[in-house]
Amino acid sequence: MTLFEAAPYDPARIRKRRIRITAIVLIVLVCLILAWNFRHYPEEHVVSNFFAALQQQDYEKAYGIWNHDPDWKQHPQKYSNYPFQDFMRDWGPGGQWGLIKSYRVDGSAVPKGGNATSFDIGSSGIVVVVTVNERVADKAHVWVEKSDKTLGFSPF
């Protein structure tokens, strides 16, 4: 086939191709946006389950979520650094938040690394921010370890 024997210009074919390319680009873009927005969903879900147990006043279940060990009663000596009595002092009815009647997971973030970057892949955990009992000025910051989903107090 030579230049003079080329297929005639077909505007419909070109339009369909342009629409296909645009659709693929939009789908990829939407997938990337969703992946970015839900990148910390597992950690936020663990914190949501923790506060749901506290709201139901099921402190033993909440302690199991805190340690990522639902069978913590079988071996309480394993958690001697933060025993259940200390947990009740912090998260029970007499704790900083009192009885938890409502909560809302506001979001999460990777803390700044040692090199002052806002996105540190080497970080071992996520900080999840929660509004408890509609206390907007004072939010709970819960540390979630990425590797095993244990909870802790955020240093940030």
Side-chain angles (χ1 to χ4, degrees):
M1 178 186 284
T2 64
L3 182 60
F4 297 111
E5 297 172 359
Y9 178 72
D10 185 8
R13 193 178 110 226
I14 299 299
R15 185 172 17 100
K16 285 180 185 177
R17 182 174 180 220
R18 193 175 298 143
I19 289 172
R20 259 190 244 124
I21 291 172
T22 303
I24 289 170
V25 168
L26 285 175
I27 289 171
V28 168
L29 188 62
V30 166
C31 288
L32 288 173
I33 290 170
L34 287 174
W36 179 258
N37 285 335
F38 291 103
R39 69 193 179 279
H40 300 307
Y41 177 77
E43 291 83 5
E44 291 176 2
H45 185 67
V46 169
V47 171
S48 181
N49 288 342
F50 172 70
F51 276 95
L54 290 175
Q55 186 177 20
Q56 297 166 357
Q57 297 180 14
D58 190 352
Y59 298 108
E60 293 177 355
K61 180 180 176 185
Y63 186 68
I65 294 170
W66 182 270
N67 293 313
H68 194 69
D69 184 5
D71 298 325
W72 66 270
K73 286 184 180 178
Q74 307 301 328
H75 43 269
Q77 69 280 2
K78 186 177 175 183
Y79 305 107
S80 61
N81 289 342
Y82 190 55
F84 184 69
Q85 294 81 12
D86 292 347
F87 176 83
M88 283 300 293
R89 199 171 319 120
D90 294 334
W91 293 101
Q96 174 184 1
W97 306 103
L99 282 175
I100 296 181
K101 298 177 183 141
S102 67
Y103 70 94
R104 182 181 67 245
V105 175
D106 295 330
S108 58
V110 176
K112 289 188 177 190
N115 56 0
T117 58
S118 61
F119 185 71
D120 185 11
I121 294 180
S123 179
S124 67
I126 305 293
V127 177
V128 179
V129 180
V130 182
T131 301
V132 181
N133 293 336
E134 304 300 323
R135 289 166 56 179
V136 179
D138 187 25
K139 296 183 184 272
H141 296 101
V142 180
W143 177 265
V144 182
E145 195 66 36
K146 284 193 258 185
S147 60
D148 59 1
K149 303 295 185 266
T150 56
L151 304 182
F153 295 104
S154 172
F156 303 98

